[in-house]
Amino acid sequence: MKHSIDSLKELGRYNDAMSMAQDLLRRSPDNASLLYKIASLYDVQGLELQAIPFYRAAIDHDLVGKELQEAYLGLGSTYRALGLYQESLDTFDRALARFPQAKELTLFRAMTLYNLGETKEAVAALLILLAETSNHQDISLYQKAIRQYAADLDHIG
């Protein structure tokens, strides 16, 4: 049975997946999808520094759709994991300009804001995200109030 890069990754056979991806990349060096797959293979193995140039190349080589959205998330969260918070925030801001409805980007951006010491903005973003995405009946009842509080957390009376 012949495996794909994705199936090898799911099986935890990262070396085999990487070998296959690198072989294919030698034949097609500008393939944005392959560049993204290599980045995510490095990332899943905790090799964040090696992942960064591949994420960036994938984005620069006109990756599209869901893969582009995931590449932005991978790059932004990799920068965050390495303590490169401003690069992380810049990446999430670019991503959200392209994918404004991507709630996972908003979530990871809020974590980066926290790391940058922007706790008020981070909490406000998380409150809005909770109000927009929660199915919990009691939270849904307070959606309007949550949004108002998120707009000005320091407001008194």
Side-chain angles (χ1 to χ4, degrees), residues 4-58:
S4 69
I5 296 166
D6 293 331
S7 68
L8 289 168
K9 181 181 172 187
E10 286 177 26
L11 292 169
R13 293 174 51 189
Y14 304 128
N15 289 337
D16 293 337
M18 186 64 80
S19 293
M20 180 182 284
Q22 294 283 9
D23 287 345
L24 291 169
L25 191 63
R26 277 190 277 285
R27 288 183 245 150
S28 183
D30 293 330
N31 184 315
S33 186
L34 275 174
L35 291 163
Y36 165 66
K37 287 178 191 299
I38 291 169
S40 65
L41 280 167
Y42 279 128
D43 211 357
V44 76
Q45 296 177 81
L47 303 171
E48 288 92 353
L49 282 174
Q50 291 92 322
I52 289 172
F54 286 95
Y55 278 131
R56 292 177 60 142

Side-chain angles (χ1 to χ4, degrees), residues 120-121 123-125 127-128 143-155:
K120 187 174 172 183
E121 189 179 344
V123 169
L127 285 172
I128 291 168
Q143 187 178 75
K144 183 179 177 186
I146 292 168
R147 287 175 184 275
Q148 287 174 336
Y149 291 134
D152 187 0
L153 288 169
D154 294 323
H155 179 75

